[in-house]
């Protein structure tokens, strides 16, 4: 059957609108290391929107176009689901009965959900006291076995790597190559939605798996002729936790963006190559700048992401004077704002009247009516 490109595009969108999105493995099967024998463990992840950011655009001016790739709209509220559908499906394919990961929170939530879906046991190691409440709540409810260690993420990762080497548990951190394969599909979606590659991709970096995965996706579509350029990869870290910017391990990383509180990124070498190959920039933003971007996103654009995600927009704002006129920029929002409710409650400028008498007079007085 012959379909024009525009009709094919129209039909594809209709399928998505009708709620029949098959999940990213089925959608991008030919681009992924899966076969007919792979059991597909999916919660219909992927297919997330590219949301315009008109107020940030107006602030920057000069004809610049800004989009937010809101991966917080995945089934467990973060981009991790893209990688986890692949990692867990491949683990299931080889008959694995248990998985393990270290996590600052989102990986543990995602691993727990997909493992439960696959009938597998999930062990998650997290840094005691540094995982946002929403993420912890998820891992608990999805039924993971949670091991909270008196140490940071880097120490947890060292332990799970060693454990997976010697015991029958599959590691599902981003060292697992299937994770990045799944995550690269976000770049495919960006190119499909824009009809081309953006000029810049702004993205937060922790372990630097996601920036590496995006770059892989952009390069693959470029080589296939689906885009005639690749973006500059603009990676940002919090200044208290910036090993990739300073070029050295950070022993005691610290930032309000607990998701990226990582001092020894395992994908360091890959990330350095991405920066070089894409003519990218790695830079820091302060916690203050992160919170500012977090508040702007919610109060000006109506998009509530977690603090680590706002790092991409904080970085964009920091580099606003270097944006070429009329550039098209995508900022990746990696996780949903509801992941970290205490950050929102502790960092807002809302008018919040409490203890009001339950009568119309008191209410309308406060409303200024
Ligand atoms: N944004 C969010 C919301 C994250 O949870 C993470 C990583 C990143 C960005 C950074 O991505 O590591 O690929 O550079 N979270 C991991 C976790 C470490 O355990 O959930 P990266």
């Amino acid at each position: 059957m012959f379909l024009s490109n525009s009709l094919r595009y129209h039909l594809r969108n209709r399928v998505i609108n009708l709620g029949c999105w098959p999940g990213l493995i089925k959608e991008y099967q030919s681009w992924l290391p899966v076969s007919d024998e792979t059991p597909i463990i999916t919660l219909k992840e992927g297919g997330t929107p590219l949301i315009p950011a008109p107020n940030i655009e107006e602030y920057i001016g000069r004809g610049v176009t800004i989009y937010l790739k809101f991966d917080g709209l995945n089934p467990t509220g973060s981009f991790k689901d893209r990688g986890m559908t692949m990692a867990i499906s491949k683990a299931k394919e080889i008959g694995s009965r248990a998985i393990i990961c270290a996590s600052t929170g989102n990986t543990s939530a995602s691993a727990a959900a997909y493992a439960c879906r696959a009938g597998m046991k999930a062990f998650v190691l997290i840094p005691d006291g540094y995982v946002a409440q929403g993420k912890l709540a998820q891992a608990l409810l999805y039924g993971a076995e949670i091991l909270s260690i008196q140490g940071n993420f880097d120490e947890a990762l060292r332990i799970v790597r060693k454990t997976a080497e010697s015991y029958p548990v599959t590691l599902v951190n981003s060292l697992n190559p299937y994770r990045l394969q799944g995550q690269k599909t976000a770049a495919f979606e960006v190119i499909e939605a824009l009809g081309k590659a953006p000029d810049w991709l702004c993205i937060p970096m922790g372990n630097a798996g996601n920036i590496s995965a995006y770059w892989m996706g952009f390069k693959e579509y470029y080589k296939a002729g689906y885009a005639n350029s690749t973006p500059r990869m603009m990676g940002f870290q919090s200044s208290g936790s910036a090993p990739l910017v300073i070029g050295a391990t950070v022993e005691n990383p610290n930032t309000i963006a607990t998701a990226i509180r990582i001092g020894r990124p395992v994908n360091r070498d890959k990330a350095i190559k991405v920066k070089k190959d894409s003519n990218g920039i790695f830079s820091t933003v302060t916690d203050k700048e992160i919170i500012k971007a977090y508040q702007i996103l919610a109060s000006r654009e109506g998009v509530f992401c977690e603090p680590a995600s706002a790092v991409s927009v904080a970085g964009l704002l920091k580099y606003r004077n270097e944006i070429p006129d009329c550039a098209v920029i995508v900022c990746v929002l990696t996780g949903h704002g509801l992941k970290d409710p205490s950050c929102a409650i502790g960092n807002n400028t809302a008018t919040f009247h409490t203890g009001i008498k339950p009568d119309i007079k008191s209410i309308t007085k406060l409303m200024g009516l």
Side-chain angles (χ1 to χ4, degrees), residues 95-113:
S96 176
R97 308 250 290 271
I99 56 107
I100 192 166
C101 66
S103 180
T104 55
N106 281 324
T107 300
S108 69
S110 185

Side-chain angles (χ1 to χ4, degrees), residues 78-80 102-108 135 153 173-174 183 204-211 259-260 262 306 308-309 334-335:
S78 85
F79 72 98
K80 303 287 179 180
S103 180
T104 55
N106 281 324
T107 300
S108 69
K135 305 175 189 183
F153 170 85
N173 279 104
S174 57
Q183 287 172 217
M205 297 186 298
N207 252 328
N210 211 25
I211 192 170
I260 52 171
I262 295 172
E306 67 170 282
S309 307
T334 45

